[in-house]
Amino acid sequence: MKRRTILTAGAGASAALALGVTATPASARSRATTSLLHRWFRDTYASIEAMHSELGLAADKIDVSGAKPKRSVQTSPTNIGCGIWSTVAAAGLGVISQATMRKRLAGTVSAVEKLERAKGFWLNWYDAGTGKVLTKWPETGDEVRPFLSSVDNAWLITGLRIAAQADPSLAPRVKSLLKDADWSFYFTPYDESDPAQHPGQIKGGYWTDDDTFTGHWYGALNTEPRMASYLGIADGSLPGEHYWRTFRTMVPENEQEQVPEGEYVTVDGVRLWRGHYTYRGRKLIPTWGGSMFEALMVPLFVPEGEWAPNAWGVTHKRYIRSQIEHGLEEEKYGYWGFSPANIPAGGYSEYGVDEIGMTVDGYFSKGVVTPHASFLAMQFEPAASVANLVKIDRDFGAYHDGLGFRDSVDVKEGTVSDFMLALDQGMVAAGLAQVLSPGLLQGAFRSGGFARNVRPLLAKEDFGIV
């Protein structure tokens, strides 16, 4: 969709800018800003409602180019998890009633109970309307191999844990669903004699048609698969040392985006390379590709910045500042926020800041900004995040009245995506929930195994960047 500057937005954001609205910490946030954030949440949740099938599963995306949103056929474990926590957030923020929340959660849990599983985990693609495993991609007819993704299962299980806490009557059913979800299935224990093939990390996934694992492990610490690591450490299916076996950066001898600074240290008996990158004079822990959601999706749920203020708390803020400066000062786009998203012209791609990712291939910004990145940053950089979103809306008409922000904008071409993705809208909803009601979606990750097993690890973390 071609929407070149400057357009009059219908979402109220431009009006908010005219009123001089800027975001500040919640204690001093203006009524106008709070009202704007609530409106953004209400509309975003409406898009998530539009993604849900009658079965109760959130589809992968909706096409909003027509008179009515058109839901995709496919859904994934991540999509379903996004739908769950968005519904809990909607009740917590007063958008729906508690009774409505309970009804919707019960419907989704019932649907999840019927989905085909293997090895205790959920397959990667289902028909959102029927719950059947997809064998052909709806849009192309291409074969879909049955796959168990560790990270996608982590986001569904995140949603299920949130559902169980929000409605305790669902807790026994969720417990039953998760009893066979043993994270050690993906785990390769560390072997000092062959660390390349036995790194003490989790695999990317497993194909059920030929019983093979992916050739890669999730080695980088500061990427979204660490949610799977936290879940496994919390429930005891992964050893605590797994946390220290992941890479802050790769060791200096390995090819990567930059030669890291740092030192070898020993923590809990594990010798590790405590490395960091420097970008624009700022020391931080890189992600794999340099995108926003790798670094900042997890702290929507696990309070890393609170539990490790001089480690995670520092690198999160510096990572965001690096994204801001890349967009505004280095590339001079006038906008920022780079993360995997729908391509405005069609398709899907990874976007990021190459210099703050480890892979030499990199995720590049390419002038494409995605609103969900600003919502991920909002709990740490509220003023900059709201201002960026208001500007994106004002200049490109990227806000779809009644449904929220469209998925992405090519600021060079002036094109705006015709799609909204469940993953990205789910991050928007969770980001707003964390700003409007801090901790609303974090309760399930502040007690039990998270308090007992995960928090002590984070308390020991020292990235060596302060």
Side-chain angles (χ1 to χ4, degrees):
M1 181 181 70
K2 190 78 171 180
R3 301 288 290 274
R4 196 54 187 158
T5 59
I6 290 186
L7 299 175
T8 301
S14 295
L17 185 65
L19 290 170
V21 173
T22 58
T24 58
S27 60
R29 193 169 56 226
S30 71
R31 286 199 191 98
T33 300
T34 300
S35 178
L36 177 62
L37 298 183
H38 274 284
R39 181 168 187 178
W40 283 348
F41 183 89
R42 287 195 304 273
D43 288 355
T44 299
Y45 188 63
S47 76
I48 293 168
E49 288 180 307
M51 293 176 192
H52 275 78
S53 68
E54 292 184 4
L55 188 61
L57 302 177
D60 187 54
K61 60 187 176 182
I62 51 173
D63 181 341
V64 295
S65 61
K68 293 183 178 181
K70 183 180 179 181
R71 188 173 61 235
S72 67
V73 172
Q74 68 272 14
T75 188
S76 73
T78 293
N79 300 152
I80 300 166
C82 287
I84 292 172
W85 70 60
S86 297
T87 295
V88 173
L93 295 176
V95 174
I96 61 175
S97 68
Q98 290 290 316
T100 298
M101 178 199 73
R102 289 192 293 270
K103 180 179 179 181
R104 291 180 181 178
L105 293 180
T108 298
V109 169
S110 293
V112 170
E113 288 171 332
K114 297 181 179 72
L115 297 178
E116 181 180 334
R117 283 186 282 168
K119 310 294 184 180
F121 292 95
W122 287 267
L123 295 157
N124 226 39
W125 294 107
Y126 300 91
D127 184 312
T130 66
K132 300 295 184 183
V133 175
L134 287 182
T135 58
K136 294 188 180 298
W137 196 247
E139 296 161 1
T140 63
D142 293 341
E143 179 188 5
V144 176
R145 292 182 66 191
F147 184 67
L148 304 174
S149 163
S150 53
V151 66
D152 283 280
N153 271 282
W155 293 121
L156 174 53
I157 291 171
T158 295
L160 289 170
R161 287 177 62 104
I162 291 170
Q165 191 192 50
D167 181 0
S169 71
L170 293 174
R173 295 168 65 184
V174 169
K175 183 177 180 180
S176 179
L177 279 170
L178 301 186
K179 65 179 171 55
D180 295 325
D182 184 340
W183 292 103
S184 67
F185 170 70
Y186 295 103
F187 181 63
T188 304
Y190 181 75
D191 184 344
E192 187 176 5
S193 67
D194 188 10
Q197 292 302 313
H198 297 86
Q201 299 166 359
I202 57 174
K203 285 281 193 177
Y206 177 86
W207 284 282
T208 64
D209 55 356
D210 63 1
D211 296 320
T212 58
F213 284 98
T214 55
H216 72 279
W217 292 266
Y218 283 129
L221 172 63
N222 193 18
T223 54
E224 79 282 2
R226 72 183 180 277
M227 192 67 192
S229 299
Y230 287 156
L231 288 165
I233 292 169
D235 70 21
S237 59
L238 296 179
E241 77 165 54
H242 161 58
Y243 177 81
W244 305 114
R245 297 291 182 193
T246 54
F247 307 135
R248 282 75 189 145
T249 70
M250 289 184 280
V251 297
E253 306 89 78
N254 288 158
E255 184 181 21
Q256 54 191 298
E257 182 62 31
Q258 63 175 264
V259 178
E261 298 176 298
E263 61 181 346
Y264 281 100
V265 298
T266 299
V267 186
D268 289 344
V270 177
R271 187 170 184 263
L272 61 96
W273 169 250
R274 181 185 284 160
H276 62 265
Y277 281 7
T278 301
Y279 176 65
R280 296 174 64 84
R282 188 178 297 111
K283 296 178 180 180
L284 51 74
I285 306 305
T287 60
W288 178 247
S291 71
M292 195 73 95
F293 98 111
E294 292 175 282
L296 293 168
M297 189 172 178
V298 172
L300 295 174
F301 308 101
V302 181
E304 295 172 314
E306 176 187 328
W307 288 354
N310 294 320
W312 283 111
V314 172
T315 198
H316 287 332
K317 292 176 183 178
R318 291 180 181 175
Y319 197 91
I320 295 165
R321 183 50 50 183
S322 298
Q323 284 243 344
I324 293 172
E325 290 185 9
H326 175 81
L328 300 186
E329 299 178 18
E330 189 171 53
E331 295 295 336
K332 301 189 186 305
Y333 296 138
Y335 317 87
W336 58 272
F338 312 100
S339 198
N342 182 256
I343 302 169
Y348 187 84
S349 185
E350 292 89 6
Y351 301 104
V353 178
D354 179 46
E355 294 87 346
I356 57 175
M358 278 191 271
T359 176
V360 293
D361 296 330
Y363 298 170
F364 295 89
S365 56
K366 303 177 187 176
V368 175
V369 298
T370 182
H372 80 255
S374 292
F375 287 100
L376 289 172
M378 195 174 285
Q379 66 169 309
F380 300 102
E381 286 275 4
S385 299
V386 172
N388 190 50
L389 289 161
V390 166
K391 194 176 180 184
I392 290 170
D393 172 30
R394 180 196 68 191
D395 292 351
F396 299 98
Y399 196 93
H400 190 109
D401 196 23
L403 293 174
F405 281 93
R406 290 170 181 251
D407 206 56
S408 60
V409 179
D410 187 323
V411 301
K412 293 181 175 179
E413 299 296 325
T415 51
V416 182
S417 173
D418 282 329
F419 289 88
M420 295 177 178
L421 275 58
L423 168 60
D424 297 352
Q425 295 299 83
M427 288 187 280
V428 171
L432 282 167
Q434 179 60 13
V435 172
L436 291 168
S437 182
L440 174 59
L441 298 178
Q442 293 185 340
F445 312 101
R446 286 178 171 271
S447 59
F450 273 83
R452 185 170 55 253
N453 300 335
V454 176
R455 185 171 186 171
L457 293 172
L458 271 57
K460 296 176 185 177
E461 184 63 88
D462 179 358
F463 291 141
I465 59 176
V466 177

